[in-house]
Amino acid sequence: MHRTLELTVPPAATDTLSEQLKNVEDVIGLSVSRGASLKPAGDVLTVHVLNKGADEVLRRALAAVGDPRLLSVVTSEANSFIAPAAHDVVDDDRDEAIWEEMESGLRHQGRITANYLLLMGLGGIVAAIGLVSEPVPQAVAFVASAVIAPGFDPMTKVPLGLVLGHRRLVWEGVKSAVAGYAVLVALAAVTTGALVAAGETSAGALAANGEVAHLAHPKLMELLLAAAGALAGVVTLAAFRRSFQAGPLIAMAFIPAAALMGAGLAVGRWDLAGEGLERFGADWGFILALGMPFLWLKQRFVHRRKPLV
């Protein structure tokens, strides 16, 4: 997909910016509507630009207006650019999300709302059931919990915020992760307690489950799988491929590991709860340790600018 950027700028900057954008090869279309915006007041430039040129457009827009508070930007996807005269340029586009889109997506997915907490809790319930299930329904439960619980996005806010120097983004990520996973752990504990009370499982059955042993004592191949999933998740966000986010989440184990924390507490097995915490920390560590260098390289060699906000 390509980009459409709608820029609202002060009238004094319109002519200069328009002339500059006309000379950007990656800008496929440009139109100007003078005085079209009432809030904020100003002229509107509609820029149809390739992904690889979006950062350059924003750099020039900021340079033209001087103060970022005078610039308003709305981004959207364009399904296709049909421009025969610029076919080779269009065909050479790449898949990249700009920093502002990454931040906006993470802010939406990881905000502490009733829906977010409910989904985290439901993911904990499903994962807790999986911890004491047979292999086939267990695999289904773990995959489902990874897709249901939006637990990856708040974690990814932290490396992104650290790389971009946004302390508020880091704090929001930590706060969202703590709140969401607290609900997940609590409902996993309640679910396990209810299953034990109903005679469906026991502390011994939980401890003897083969996958619980893998979570508590992961082998090298399992850690490599989680590390690859962590990096793949960050790459997916940076490549503006959110529809493929489920794959990396399934490869990682922090949802079942968090559920193990709750299940262990529910049956009085503090050792299992502690091992679940260790595995949870390891997976988050992979996101930090691999995500930060990757995002730094993106900033250093691809975007080369600070976000507008």
Side-chain angles (χ1 to χ4, degrees), residues 41-74:
D43 298 340
V44 176
L45 282 72
T46 302
V47 187
H48 299 296
V49 62
L50 302 180
N51 290 325
K52 62 181 181 179
D55 285 300
E56 180 63 22
V57 169
L58 293 177
R59 271 193 294 268
R60 297 199 180 201
L62 180 58
V65 301
D67 187 344
R69 293 173 296 181
L70 301 177
L71 176 65
S72 177
V73 184
V74 177

